[in-house]
Amino acid sequence: VQLQASGGGSVQAGGSLRLSCAASSRPYSSHVMSWFRQTPGNEREFVAAIRWGVGLTYYADFVTGRFTISKDSAKNTVYLQMNSLKPKDTAVYHCARGNRYGTSKSEYDYWGQGTQVTVSS
């Protein structure tokens, strides 16, 4: 499967962006689609996840209340709506698909190429 992430860009603090991740094939109901982010010199960190079948969502503590993950089953696409962005949200955001939920990148088998998000103060 291929994952195509898009929607990144540059915004000022307090602004919003919506990231998209389109899968080349329909995820199974058991799959988990997630977003991670990475800054230079740091490990890739978990941001949010959604169970494809039931739509159950999970969030990292630092984004709860600001970011929302959702899916469009008809388009095989997962979204990350990011509101109230902060400069520390600046990173390359990657989408991933795994067979089970986890916050470790090792749980995920397929990755998108990443999309840059830059938040200025």
Side-chain angles (χ1 to χ4, degrees):
V1 66
Q2 292 184 333
L3 303 176
Q4 182 69 43
S6 61
S10 297
V11 296
Q12 291 191 327
S16 298
L17 285 172
R18 189 178 80 156
L19 307 183
S20 300
C21 176
S24 59
S25 61
R26 182 181 181 88
Y28 295 153
S29 60
S30 59
H31 283 145
V32 176
M33 300 293 293
S34 294
W35 288 96
F36 283 72
R37 68 187 188 184
Q38 188 170 22
T39 54
N42 293 305
E43 290 291 320
R44 199 165 289 189
E45 66 175 350
F46 172 79
V47 175
I50 186 167
R51 292 189 183 273
W52 191 261
V54 297
L56 190 61
T57 59
Y58 308 87
Y59 296 95
D61 287 344
F62 58 79
V63 302
T64 300
R66 299 190 298 127
F67 293 6
T68 302
I69 190 170
S70 62
K71 66 180 178 74
D72 185 333
S73 297
K75 297 181 178 180
N76 296 338
T77 298
V78 63
Y79 302 99
L80 185 68
Q81 177 67 44
M82 304 186 296
N83 299 328
S84 301
L85 283 162
K86 304 175 182 179
K88 61 184 178 181
D89 293 319
T90 295
V92 176
Y93 284 71
H94 298 268
C95 59
R97 195 194 81 178
N99 293 316
R100 63 180 184 179
Y101 168 67
T103 59
S104 170
K105 62 182 182 180
S106 63
E107 300 284 359
Y108 298 86
D109 302 319
Y110 295 95
W111 292 86
Q113 84 286 5
T115 185
Q116 176 71 46
V117 172
T118 302
V119 185
S120 58
S121 58

